[in-house]
């Protein structure tokens, strides 16, 4: 079985001082508004990204912060599961939220008690480190990017990775604006796990976990995966190092197919029957 063993991206708020795992030279991440057009994004696509992606976080018993995006409908998000679990005790966090980075941001509570997790608790950075989590109410007017399940990812595919506000960036970006970068899939290992995954040369650091990976398929932007883990992003010797999986100069994402797509569809069906919000334990 091939599995993801690189260190997970730390999500605690105290990591904001840390550096990044910058692959192949300089840190290419920047504001969606600054480099979005050069990445081929239209004004409508830029607006759509701001409506569907943003911050994912929890406050209790310890704070955590990552990225996520609406998945399949406007009342559930896809993100990294380890955001919702205390790393010391394995206890599920509470007081969790999703906040968009739209022109007029929308903040909505999450219901992790009704989520579909890859594992309970998940191992951070593993093939099971995913969560599809319902919102207590929909994000008005938001349309998630589709999943191209009949078009497999392959080495050489170009990605546009969206994160809320990763730690250790070289460029200064306002907190209310999504951070994006253009990068490429470098290898797509054969997975015998419940999920698919791929390796990329995307730059990453703390709070990048759960970031939406977009790619253009037949001219349409589609939701390809989520960033799960990167290499030794606090190791100065790797800063700007060439792509090298063995050394850890690599970033890994889980694909939006297989178990993740099944989880999203399952939760979407369940939420249709909510009459007064999500059920509670």
């Amino acid at each position: 079985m091939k599995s993801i063993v690189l260190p997970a991206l730390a999500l605690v708020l105290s990591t904001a001082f840390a550096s990044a795992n910058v692959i192949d030279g300089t840190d290419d991440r920047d504001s969606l508004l600054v480099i979005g057009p050069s990445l081929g994004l239209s004004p409508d696509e830029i607006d759509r990204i701001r409506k569907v992606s943003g911050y994912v976080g929890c406050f209790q018993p310890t704070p955590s912060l990552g990225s996520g995006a609406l998945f399949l409908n406007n009342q559930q998000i896809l993100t990294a599961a380890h955001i919702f679990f205390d790393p010391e005790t394995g206890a599920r966090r509470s007081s969790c939220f999703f906040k968009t980075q739209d022109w007029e941001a929308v903040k909505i509570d999450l219901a992790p008690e009704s989520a579909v997790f890859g594992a309970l608790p998940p191992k951070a950075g593993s093939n099971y480190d995913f969560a599809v989590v319902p919102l207590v109410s929909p994000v008005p007017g938001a349309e998630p990017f589709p999943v191209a399940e009949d078009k497999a990812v392959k080495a050489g595919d170009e990605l546009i990775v969206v994160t809320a506000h990763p730690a250790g960036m070289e460029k200064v970006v306002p907190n209310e604006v999504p951070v994006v970068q253009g990068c490429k899939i470098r290898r797509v290992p054969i997975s015998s796990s419940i999920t698919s995954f791929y390796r990329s040369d995307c730059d990453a650091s703390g709070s990048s976990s759960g970031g939406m990976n977009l790619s253009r398929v037949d001219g349409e932007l589609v939701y390809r995966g989520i960033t799960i883990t990167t290499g030794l992003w606090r190791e100065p010797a790797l800063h700007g190092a060439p792509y090298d999986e063995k050394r850890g100069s690599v970033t890994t994402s889980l694909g939006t197919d297989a178990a993740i797509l099944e989880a999203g569809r399952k939760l979407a069906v369940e939420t249709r029957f909510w009459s007064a919000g999500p059920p509670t334990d």
Side-chain angles (χ1 to χ4, degrees), residues 109-142:
D109 288 341
L110 293 171
E113 67 278 0
S114 299
V116 180
F117 294 103
L120 288 171
K123 179 181 178 181
S126 73
N127 299 76
Y128 301 88
D129 190 12
F130 69 87
V132 184
V133 189
L135 288 72
V136 298
S137 60
V139 178

Side-chain angles (χ1 to χ4, degrees), residues 10-281:
L11 286 155
V12 292
L13 298 178
S14 60
T15 62
F17 62 84
S19 61
N21 186 31
V22 174
I23 302 171
D24 289 337
T26 59
D27 191 340
D28 299 318
R29 298 173 295 178
D30 206 338
S31 161
L32 171 67
L33 301 182
V34 172
I35 65 170
S38 68
L39 296 176
L41 296 172
S42 69
D44 286 345
E45 290 170 335
I46 289 173
D47 287 346
R48 187 176 180 184
I49 288 172
R50 299 193 71 172
K51 287 181 180 296
V52 305
S53 67
Y55 293 93
V56 179
C58 300
F59 294 109
Q60 300 294 335
T62 55
S64 64
L65 187 67
S67 304
L70 296 175
F71 183 55
L72 301 185
N73 64 37
N74 66 345
Q75 198 172 350
Q76 61 187 34
I77 60 164
L78 171 60
T79 187
H82 66 262
I83 296 172
F84 299 93
F85 294 85
D86 185 279
E88 299 297 327
T89 66
R92 189 160 59 197
R93 289 184 168 113
S94 59
S95 301
C96 302
F97 67 90
F98 173 62
K99 183 178 180 180
T100 69
Q101 290 174 288
D102 200 1
W103 299 100
E104 294 185 8
V106 175
K107 183 179 179 182
I108 299 176
D109 288 341
L110 293 171
E113 67 278 0
S114 299
V116 180
F117 294 103
L120 288 171
K123 179 181 178 181
S126 73
N127 299 76
Y128 301 88
D129 190 12
F130 69 87
V132 184
V133 189
L135 288 72
V136 298
S137 60
V139 178
E143 182 183 0
F145 287 96
V147 173
E149 59 179 310
D150 58 337
K151 299 280 188 177
V153 298
K154 62 183 183 302
D157 284 354
E158 295 185 352
L159 296 173
I160 298 174
V161 175
V162 183
T163 44
H165 205 271
M169 280 184 55
E170 293 180 5
K171 297 181 178 69
V172 176
V173 177
N175 291 339
E176 64 272 16
V177 179
V179 170
V180 296
Q181 64 176 307
C183 44
K184 287 185 178 181
I185 295 174
R186 301 294 288 268
R187 192 167 72 90
V188 184
I190 297 174
S191 177
S192 57
S193 182
I194 62 172
T195 52
S196 68
F197 65 99
Y198 52 86
R199 314 287 198 194
S200 75
D201 56 15
C202 307
D203 303 326
S205 54
S207 295
S208 295
S209 286
M212 176 173 59
N213 292 198
L214 296 171
S215 189
R216 208 169 285 281
V217 175
D218 297 329
E220 181 181 28
L221 276 182
V222 299
Y223 198 165
R224 277 312 207 185
I226 55 169
T227 302
I228 288 296
T229 185
T230 192
L232 304 174
W233 56 280
R234 295 179 179 178
E235 175 52 59
L238 285 183
H239 190 88
Y243 176 88
D244 188 328
E245 291 186 33
K246 291 183 179 180
R247 290 190 64 205
S249 189
V250 61
T251 293
T252 301
S253 297
L254 297 182
T256 50
D257 56 2
I260 289 179
L261 185 57
E262 180 182 351
R265 287 171 170 166
K266 175 179 182 294
L267 188 61
V269 170
E270 292 176 356
T271 56
R272 290 175 189 169
F273 298 97
W274 290 358
S275 58
T280 56
D281 291 343

